[in-house]
Amino acid sequence: MTTTRACAARLPCPAPHTRHWPAVTTAALTATVTVMPGFTVGALAPALESGLGLSRSAIGLALSCFYAATALGSPIARRVAARFPVHRVLAAAALSAAAVMLGASQATGMISLTVLLLLGGLSNALVQPAVGRLIAARTPAHRRSLAAGVVGAALAAATFVPGLLVALVLPAHGWRVSLLTAGLVALLVTALAPLARAPLEPAGPTRTGGHPRTGRTLLLWSSAAALAATGNNAVATYFVHLGTDSGLSPTTAGHLLTASSVLAIAVRVAAGALTDRAPGRNPTVIAAMMCTGGFGLALIAAGTPVAFTVGALLAFSAGWGWTGLLLATALHLVTDQAEYAGHTVQVGIYTGATIAPFAFGAISGALGFTPTALVAATAAFAGAGAITAGAVHLRRSER
Protein backbone atom coordinates (compact mmCIF):
# COMPACT_ATOMS: atom_id res chain seq x y z
CA MET A 1 0.00 0.00 0.00
CA THR A 2 2.83 2.42 0.86
CA THR A 3 4.56 1.77 -2.45
CA THR A 4 1.33 2.28 -4.35
CA ARG A 5 0.68 5.64 -2.68
CA ALA A 6 4.26 6.74 -3.36
CA CYS A 7 3.94 5.88 -7.04
CA ALA A 8 0.63 7.70 -7.23
CA ALA A 9 2.42 10.74 -5.84
CA ARG A 10 5.07 10.35 -8.57
CA LEU A 11 7.83 9.55 -6.09
CA PRO A 12 10.73 7.28 -7.15
CA CYS A 13 9.50 3.72 -6.65
CA PRO A 14 11.80 0.70 -6.91
CA ALA A 15 10.37 -2.07 -9.02
CA PRO A 16 9.48 -4.90 -6.65
CA HIS A 17 11.39 -7.56 -8.58
CA THR A 18 14.36 -5.45 -9.67
CA ARG A 19 17.76 -6.74 -8.59
CA HIS A 20 19.25 -3.64 -7.04
CA TRP A 21 22.44 -4.88 -5.38
CA PRO A 22 24.58 -5.16 -8.55
CA ALA A 23 23.71 -1.54 -9.34
CA VAL A 24 24.38 -0.40 -5.75
CA THR A 25 27.72 -2.24 -5.70
CA THR A 26 28.70 -0.65 -9.01
CA ALA A 27 27.82 2.78 -7.62
CA ALA A 28 29.92 2.07 -4.51
CA LEU A 29 32.96 1.00 -6.54
CA THR A 30 32.60 4.06 -8.76
CA ALA A 31 32.36 6.33 -5.73
CA THR A 32 35.52 4.65 -4.44
CA VAL A 33 37.68 5.30 -7.48
CA THR A 34 36.41 8.83 -8.13
CA VAL A 35 37.58 10.03 -4.70
CA MET A 36 40.80 7.98 -4.84
CA PRO A 37 42.88 10.72 -6.53
CA GLY A 38 42.69 12.82 -3.37
CA PHE A 39 43.48 9.99 -0.98
CA THR A 40 46.21 8.52 -3.18
CA VAL A 41 48.05 11.83 -3.49
CA GLY A 42 47.60 12.34 0.26
CA ALA A 43 49.02 8.91 1.10
CA LEU A 44 51.95 9.49 -1.25
CA ALA A 45 52.51 13.05 0.02
CA PRO A 46 55.94 12.43 1.64
CA ALA A 47 57.25 10.88 -1.57
CA LEU A 48 55.69 13.60 -3.72
CA GLU A 49 57.23 16.31 -1.54
CA SER A 50 60.74 14.95 -2.10
CA GLY A 51 60.15 13.85 -5.69
CA LEU A 52 58.65 17.12 -6.93
CA GLY A 53 60.31 19.45 -4.42
CA LEU A 54 56.98 20.56 -2.89
CA SER A 55 56.18 21.59 0.68
CA ARG A 56 53.52 20.00 2.87
CA SER A 57 51.37 23.13 2.49
CA ALA A 58 51.68 22.97 -1.30
CA ILE A 59 50.45 19.37 -1.37
CA GLY A 60 47.65 20.36 1.00
CA LEU A 61 46.62 23.21 -1.29
CA ALA A 62 46.50 20.89 -4.30
CA LEU A 63 44.34 18.43 -2.37
CA SER A 64 42.05 21.22 -1.17
CA CYS A 65 41.53 22.15 -4.83
CA PHE A 66 40.36 18.59 -5.52
CA TYR A 67 37.74 18.67 -2.77
CA ALA A 68 36.74 22.28 -3.53
CA ALA A 69 36.04 21.33 -7.14
CA THR A 70 33.74 18.57 -5.88
CA ALA A 71 31.84 20.90 -3.55
CA LEU A 72 31.57 23.80 -5.99
CA GLY A 73 30.76 21.54 -8.94
CA SER A 74 27.97 19.76 -7.09
CA PRO A 75 25.10 22.08 -8.21
CA ILE A 76 25.94 21.46 -11.87
CA ALA A 77 26.52 17.76 -11.20
CA ARG A 78 23.06 17.53 -9.65
CA ARG A 79 21.50 18.71 -12.91
CA VAL A 80 23.65 16.36 -14.98
CA ALA A 81 22.68 13.41 -12.78
CA ALA A 82 19.00 14.25 -13.25
CA ARG A 83 19.31 14.53 -17.03
CA PHE A 84 21.43 11.54 -18.09
CA PRO A 85 21.17 7.79 -17.39
CA VAL A 86 22.88 6.84 -14.14
CA HIS A 87 25.16 4.22 -15.69
CA ARG A 88 26.54 6.77 -18.16
CA VAL A 89 27.20 9.29 -15.40
CA LEU A 90 29.03 6.66 -13.35
CA ALA A 91 31.08 5.49 -16.34
CA ALA A 92 32.15 9.05 -17.17
CA ALA A 93 33.13 9.72 -13.56
CA ALA A 94 35.22 6.53 -13.24
CA LEU A 95 36.93 7.10 -16.58
CA SER A 96 37.83 10.66 -15.58
CA ALA A 97 39.28 9.47 -12.28
CA ALA A 98 41.44 6.93 -14.10
CA ALA A 99 42.70 9.61 -16.49
CA VAL A 100 43.51 11.94 -13.58
CA MET A 101 45.61 9.37 -11.71
CA LEU A 102 47.36 8.19 -14.86
CA GLY A 103 48.13 11.82 -15.67
CA ALA A 104 49.29 12.54 -12.11
CA SER A 105 51.82 9.73 -12.42
CA GLN A 106 53.56 11.94 -15.00
CA ALA A 107 53.22 15.23 -13.09
CA THR A 108 56.26 17.47 -13.15
CA GLY A 109 55.32 20.10 -10.58
CA MET A 110 52.69 21.91 -8.57
CA ILE A 111 50.73 23.33 -11.53
CA SER A 112 50.22 20.07 -13.40
CA LEU A 113 49.32 18.20 -10.21
CA THR A 114 46.80 20.85 -9.14
CA VAL A 115 45.13 21.07 -12.56
CA LEU A 116 44.69 17.31 -12.67
CA LEU A 117 43.23 17.23 -9.16
CA LEU A 118 40.81 20.03 -10.07
CA LEU A 119 39.53 17.97 -13.01
CA GLY A 120 39.29 14.92 -10.77
CA GLY A 121 37.27 16.86 -8.22
CA LEU A 122 34.77 17.93 -10.87
CA SER A 123 34.20 14.35 -12.03
CA ASN A 124 33.91 13.21 -8.41
CA ALA A 125 31.00 15.66 -7.99
CA LEU A 126 28.90 13.59 -10.39
CA VAL A 127 28.70 10.56 -8.14
CA GLN A 128 26.59 11.39 -5.07
CA PRO A 129 23.65 13.00 -6.94
CA ALA A 130 23.57 10.01 -9.31
CA VAL A 131 23.76 7.61 -6.37
CA GLY A 132 20.90 9.41 -4.62
CA ARG A 133 18.74 8.94 -7.69
CA LEU A 134 19.75 5.30 -8.03
CA ILE A 135 19.00 4.39 -4.41
CA ALA A 136 15.68 6.23 -4.34
CA ALA A 137 14.53 4.63 -7.58
CA ARG A 138 15.75 1.07 -7.23
CA THR A 139 16.18 0.23 -3.54
CA PRO A 140 13.24 -0.78 -1.32
CA ALA A 141 12.60 1.70 1.48
CA HIS A 142 13.50 -0.87 4.15
CA ARG A 143 16.95 -1.36 2.58
CA ARG A 144 17.96 2.23 1.87
CA SER A 145 20.18 2.74 4.91
CA LEU A 146 22.04 -0.45 4.02
CA ALA A 147 22.38 0.58 0.37
CA ALA A 148 23.57 4.05 1.38
CA GLY A 149 25.97 2.44 3.87
CA VAL A 150 27.45 0.31 1.10
CA VAL A 151 27.96 3.39 -1.06
CA GLY A 152 29.17 5.38 1.94
CA ALA A 153 31.82 2.73 2.49
CA ALA A 154 33.43 4.06 -0.68
CA LEU A 155 35.16 6.82 1.29
CA ALA A 156 36.77 4.18 3.48
CA ALA A 157 37.52 1.86 0.56
CA ALA A 158 39.18 4.76 -1.26
CA THR A 159 41.93 4.71 1.38
CA PHE A 160 42.37 0.94 1.09
CA VAL A 161 44.20 0.97 -2.24
CA PRO A 162 46.47 3.92 -1.29
CA GLY A 163 47.36 2.04 1.90
CA LEU A 164 48.41 -0.99 -0.13
CA LEU A 165 50.34 1.22 -2.53
CA VAL A 166 52.31 2.84 0.28
CA ALA A 167 53.06 -0.52 1.90
CA LEU A 168 53.75 -2.66 -1.18
CA VAL A 169 54.42 -0.60 -4.32
CA LEU A 170 55.99 2.65 -3.14
CA PRO A 171 59.09 1.16 -1.41
CA ALA A 172 60.14 -0.83 -4.48
CA HIS A 173 58.85 1.20 -7.42
CA GLY A 174 58.26 4.80 -6.30
CA TRP A 175 55.31 7.19 -6.37
CA ARG A 176 54.89 7.37 -10.14
CA VAL A 177 54.27 3.63 -10.49
CA SER A 178 51.99 3.81 -7.45
CA LEU A 179 49.78 6.44 -9.11
CA LEU A 180 49.88 4.51 -12.38
CA THR A 181 48.62 1.41 -10.57
CA ALA A 182 45.80 3.39 -8.94
CA GLY A 183 44.77 4.71 -12.35
CA LEU A 184 44.58 1.20 -13.80
CA VAL A 185 42.38 0.09 -10.89
CA ALA A 186 39.98 2.95 -11.64
CA LEU A 187 39.96 2.00 -15.31
CA LEU A 188 38.76 -1.51 -14.44
CA VAL A 189 35.76 -0.11 -12.55
CA THR A 190 34.63 1.77 -15.66
CA ALA A 191 33.75 -1.56 -17.27
CA LEU A 192 31.21 -2.30 -14.51
CA ALA A 193 29.04 0.77 -15.22
CA PRO A 194 26.49 -1.14 -17.39
CA LEU A 195 25.42 -3.04 -14.25
CA ALA A 196 23.78 0.20 -13.09
CA ARG A 197 21.67 0.33 -16.27
CA ALA A 198 17.97 0.16 -15.47
CA PRO A 199 14.71 1.92 -16.27
CA LEU A 200 14.40 4.68 -13.68
CA GLU A 201 11.44 6.77 -12.71
CA PRO A 202 11.49 10.17 -14.40
CA ALA A 203 13.65 12.54 -12.41
CA GLY A 204 11.70 15.10 -10.47
CA PRO A 205 12.17 18.82 -10.96
CA THR A 206 15.59 20.00 -9.82
CA ARG A 207 14.36 22.29 -7.08
CA THR A 208 16.75 23.84 -4.61
CA GLY A 209 14.77 22.86 -1.56
CA GLY A 210 11.48 21.61 -0.25
CA HIS A 211 9.43 22.72 2.69
CA PRO A 212 11.19 25.41 4.80
CA ARG A 213 11.56 23.01 7.74
CA THR A 214 13.21 20.50 5.41
CA GLY A 215 15.58 23.09 4.00
CA ARG A 216 16.71 24.30 7.44
CA THR A 217 17.23 20.76 8.69
CA LEU A 218 19.28 19.80 5.64
CA LEU A 219 21.35 22.97 6.03
CA LEU A 220 22.19 22.03 9.63
CA TRP A 221 23.02 18.46 8.61
CA SER A 222 25.16 19.65 5.72
CA SER A 223 27.03 21.94 8.12
CA ALA A 224 27.51 19.00 10.50
CA ALA A 225 28.95 16.95 7.65
CA ALA A 226 31.38 19.76 6.84
CA LEU A 227 32.57 20.04 10.44
CA ALA A 228 33.01 16.31 11.04
CA ALA A 229 34.57 15.69 7.63
CA THR A 230 37.20 18.36 8.30
CA GLY A 231 38.82 16.29 11.04
CA ASN A 232 38.36 12.85 9.54
CA ASN A 233 39.49 13.85 6.07
CA ALA A 234 42.62 15.39 7.56
CA VAL A 235 43.45 12.09 9.26
CA ALA A 236 42.81 10.13 6.05
CA THR A 237 44.91 12.55 4.00
CA TYR A 238 47.85 12.77 6.39
CA PHE A 239 47.58 9.28 7.85
CA VAL A 240 51.14 8.27 6.94
CA HIS A 241 52.52 11.60 8.15
CA LEU A 242 50.65 11.30 11.45
CA GLY A 243 51.69 7.68 11.90
CA THR A 244 55.37 8.31 11.32
CA ASP A 245 55.26 11.37 13.60
CA SER A 246 53.83 9.10 16.31
CA GLY A 247 56.70 6.64 15.97
CA LEU A 248 55.49 4.18 13.31
CA SER A 249 57.45 3.30 10.18
CA PRO A 250 55.94 4.34 6.82
CA THR A 251 55.32 0.69 5.90
CA THR A 252 53.57 0.00 9.22
CA ALA A 253 51.49 3.15 8.79
CA GLY A 254 50.49 1.96 5.31
CA HIS A 255 49.40 -1.44 6.65
CA LEU A 256 47.46 0.27 9.45
CA LEU A 257 45.75 2.53 6.90
CA THR A 258 44.64 -0.56 4.98
CA ALA A 259 43.38 -2.28 8.15
CA SER A 260 41.53 0.86 9.23
CA SER A 261 39.88 1.04 5.82
CA VAL A 262 38.62 -2.54 6.08
CA LEU A 263 37.21 -1.86 9.54
CA ALA A 264 35.55 1.33 8.32
CA ILE A 265 33.88 -0.53 5.45
CA ALA A 266 32.53 -3.17 7.84
CA VAL A 267 31.20 -0.55 10.27
CA ARG A 268 29.41 1.41 7.53
CA VAL A 269 27.70 -1.64 6.08
CA ALA A 270 26.74 -3.00 9.53
CA ALA A 271 25.42 0.39 10.66
CA GLY A 272 23.30 0.66 7.53
CA ALA A 273 21.83 -2.82 8.01
CA LEU A 274 21.02 -2.19 11.68
CA THR A 275 19.52 1.27 11.28
CA ASP A 276 17.17 0.06 8.54
CA ARG A 277 15.18 -1.45 11.43
CA ALA A 278 14.62 1.99 12.98
CA PRO A 279 15.54 4.72 10.44
CA GLY A 280 14.04 7.41 12.67
CA ARG A 281 17.02 6.99 14.99
CA ASN A 282 19.59 7.72 12.29
CA PRO A 283 20.40 11.26 13.53
CA THR A 284 21.15 9.92 17.02
CA VAL A 285 23.43 7.22 15.61
CA ILE A 286 25.20 9.75 13.37
CA ALA A 287 25.81 12.14 16.28
CA ALA A 288 27.21 9.28 18.40
CA MET A 289 29.55 8.28 15.56
CA MET A 290 30.82 11.85 15.20
CA CYS A 291 31.50 12.06 18.95
CA THR A 292 33.40 8.76 18.81
CA GLY A 293 35.46 10.15 15.95
CA GLY A 294 36.23 13.25 18.00
CA PHE A 295 37.49 11.05 20.83
CA GLY A 296 39.67 9.15 18.37
CA LEU A 297 41.16 12.39 17.06
CA ALA A 298 41.94 13.45 20.63
CA LEU A 299 43.81 10.16 21.13
CA ILE A 300 45.81 10.77 17.95
CA ALA A 301 46.92 14.07 19.46
CA ALA A 302 48.71 12.12 22.21
CA GLY A 303 51.43 11.31 19.66
CA THR A 304 52.33 7.77 20.79
CA PRO A 305 52.17 4.63 18.60
CA VAL A 306 49.48 2.96 20.75
CA ALA A 307 47.35 6.11 21.06
CA PHE A 308 47.64 6.75 17.32
CA THR A 309 46.62 3.17 16.48
CA VAL A 310 43.55 3.20 18.73
CA GLY A 311 42.60 6.77 17.76
CA ALA A 312 42.97 6.08 14.05
CA LEU A 313 40.76 2.98 14.28
CA LEU A 314 38.07 4.97 16.12
CA ALA A 315 38.30 7.98 13.78
CA PHE A 316 38.13 5.78 10.69
CA SER A 317 35.45 3.33 11.80
CA ALA A 318 32.80 5.15 13.83
CA GLY A 319 34.09 8.69 13.31
CA TRP A 320 33.81 8.44 9.56
CA GLY A 321 31.10 5.81 9.34
CA TRP A 322 28.16 8.21 9.23
CA THR A 323 28.30 9.36 5.59
CA GLY A 324 26.02 6.64 4.21
CA LEU A 325 23.55 7.04 7.06
CA LEU A 326 23.38 10.78 6.45
CA LEU A 327 22.60 10.17 2.76
CA ALA A 328 19.85 7.68 3.69
CA THR A 329 18.41 10.12 6.23
CA ALA A 330 18.38 12.96 3.70
CA LEU A 331 16.70 10.70 1.12
CA HIS A 332 14.01 9.84 3.66
CA LEU A 333 13.42 13.54 4.24
CA VAL A 334 13.16 14.53 0.55
CA THR A 335 12.18 11.31 -1.23
CA ASP A 336 10.95 13.13 -4.33
CA GLN A 337 14.23 15.07 -4.72
CA ALA A 338 16.84 12.31 -4.63
CA GLU A 339 19.46 14.27 -6.58
CA TYR A 340 19.02 17.19 -4.19
CA ALA A 341 19.53 14.94 -1.16
CA GLY A 342 22.74 13.51 -2.60
CA HIS A 343 23.92 16.96 -3.62
CA THR A 344 23.29 18.43 -0.14
CA VAL A 345 25.21 15.68 1.66
CA GLN A 346 28.02 15.89 -0.89
CA VAL A 347 28.40 19.66 -0.51
CA GLY A 348 28.72 19.29 3.26
CA ILE A 349 31.24 16.45 3.18
CA TYR A 350 33.44 18.01 0.52
CA THR A 351 33.32 21.49 1.99
CA GLY A 352 34.91 19.99 5.09
CA ALA A 353 37.27 17.99 2.90
CA THR A 354 38.27 21.21 1.12
CA ILE A 355 39.23 22.89 4.37
CA ALA A 356 41.05 19.89 5.84
CA PRO A 357 44.18 19.26 3.72
CA PHE A 358 45.47 22.81 3.39
CA ALA A 359 44.43 23.94 6.87
CA PHE A 360 45.77 20.81 8.54
CA GLY A 361 49.00 20.98 6.56
CA ALA A 362 49.53 24.68 7.28
CA ILE A 363 48.63 24.52 11.00
CA SER A 364 50.60 21.33 11.64
CA GLY A 365 53.58 22.80 9.81
CA ALA A 366 53.52 25.80 12.13
CA LEU A 367 52.36 24.27 15.45
CA GLY A 368 52.84 20.53 15.10
CA PHE A 369 50.40 17.66 14.81
CA THR A 370 49.19 17.58 18.44
CA PRO A 371 47.34 20.94 18.60
CA THR A 372 46.09 20.45 15.04
CA ALA A 373 44.56 17.06 15.90
CA LEU A 374 42.83 18.66 18.90
CA VAL A 375 41.30 21.31 16.63
CA ALA A 376 40.06 18.51 14.35
CA ALA A 377 38.52 16.74 17.37
CA THR A 378 36.68 19.92 18.34
CA ALA A 379 35.24 20.15 14.82
CA ALA A 380 33.93 16.58 15.09
CA PHE A 381 32.15 17.34 18.37
CA ALA A 382 30.66 20.49 16.83
CA GLY A 383 29.37 18.38 13.93
CA ALA A 384 27.57 16.08 16.37
CA GLY A 385 25.93 19.14 17.91
CA ALA A 386 24.73 20.36 14.51
CA ILE A 387 23.23 16.95 13.66
CA THR A 388 21.33 16.98 16.95
CA ALA A 389 20.15 20.56 16.38
CA GLY A 390 18.79 19.61 12.95
CA ALA A 391 16.90 16.62 14.35
CA VAL A 392 15.42 18.71 17.18
CA HIS A 393 14.32 21.41 14.72
CA LEU A 394 12.64 18.78 12.54
CA ARG A 395 10.72 17.26 15.45
CA ARG A 396 9.52 20.65 16.68
CA SER A 397 8.36 21.72 13.22
CA GLU A 398 6.33 18.50 12.83
CA ARG A 399 4.27 19.14 15.99
Side-chain angles (χ1 to χ4, degrees):
M1 179 66 71
T2 301
T3 303
T4 303
R5 285 198 299 265
C7 291
R10 301 185 62 81
L11 302 182
C13 303
H17 302 295
T18 300
R19 295 177 63 236
H20 55 275
W21 289 119
V24 170
T25 303
T26 298
L29 291 173
T30 303
T32 298
V33 299
T34 56
V35 77
M36 254 175 52
F39 290 127
T40 303
V41 170
L44 298 172
L48 284 165
E49 289 170 15
S50 59
L52 295 178
L54 302 176
S55 66
R56 186 187 303 169
S57 296
I59 294 289
L61 179 60
L63 289 171
S64 288
C65 288
F66 172 81
Y67 297 116
T70 298
L72 295 175
S74 189
I76 297 175
R78 174 168 59 89
R79 290 173 171 80
V80 172
R83 186 177 298 272
F84 295 98
V86 169
H87 71 281
R88 293 184 181 176
V89 175
L90 296 180
L95 186 61
S96 298
V100 165
M101 288 186 283
L102 292 173
S105 70
Q106 305 303 314
T108 56
M110 177 70 176
I111 294 177
S112 57
L113 183 65
T114 302
V115 169
L116 285 165
L117 287 175
L118 276 169
L119 294 175
L122 289 173
S123 63
N124 186 43
L126 293 170
V127 177
Q128 288 296 330
V131 166
R133 183 181 172 194
L134 178 69
I135 291 176
R138 294 199 56 184
T139 307
H142 67 285
R143 286 289 181 265
R144 284 182 183 167
S145 290
L146 176 57
V150 170
V151 175
L155 282 174
T159 62
F160 178 82
V161 173
L164 288 178
L165 294 175
V166 170
L168 303 177
V169 180
L170 180 64
H173 303 288
W175 64 269
R176 292 190 185 275
V177 175
S178 298
L179 277 166
L180 183 66
T181 304
L184 293 176
V185 170
L187 200 58
L188 291 175
V189 173
T190 306
L192 300 177
L195 292 177
R197 185 196 303 269
L200 296 173
E201 292 291 318
T206 56
R207 296 171 296 210
T208 58
H211 191 280
R213 66 173 176 83
T214 300
R216 284 191 289 270
T217 297
L218 285 177
L219 178 60
L220 283 167
W221 288 351
S222 183
S223 300
L227 287 165
T230 298
N232 292 301
N233 182 273
V235 171
T237 302
Y238 289 100
F239 194 97
V240 176
H241 262 315
L242 286 164
T244 53
D245 189 71
S246 298
L248 301 177
S249 69
T251 301
T252 301
H255 284 304
L256 183 58
L257 176 59
T258 301
S260 299
S261 302
V262 173
L263 179 61
I265 293 169
V267 167
R268 288 168 187 242
V269 175
L274 291 173
T275 54
D276 266 328
R277 300 178 181 180
R281 298 179 181 176
N282 277 10
T284 302
V285 176
I286 293 168
M289 284 183 158
M290 289 181 176
C291 285
T292 304
F295 180 67
L297 290 165
L299 283 177
I300 288 174
T304 66
V306 173
F308 174 79
T309 300
V310 176
L313 291 174
L314 288 176
F316 253 79
S317 57
W320 215 19
W322 48 264
T323 54
L325 292 182
L326 186 57
L327 174 60
T329 308
L331 284 171
H332 179 73
L333 199 59
V334 285
T335 312
D336 59 337
Q337 299 179 61
E339 303 89 0
Y340 178 64
H343 149 77
T344 302
V345 173
Q346 177 168 272
V347 168
I349 292 173
Y350 285 101
T351 296
T354 299
I355 297 169
F358 179 70
F360 198 90
I363 297 173
S364 64
L367 303 177
F369 282 122
T370 296
T372 313
L374 290 175
V375 171
T378 303
F381 289 125
I387 284 288
T388 303
V392 169
H393 172 75
L394 184 62
R395 285 197 298 269
R396 288 178 176 173
S397 62
E398 288 177 341
R399 291 176 182 172

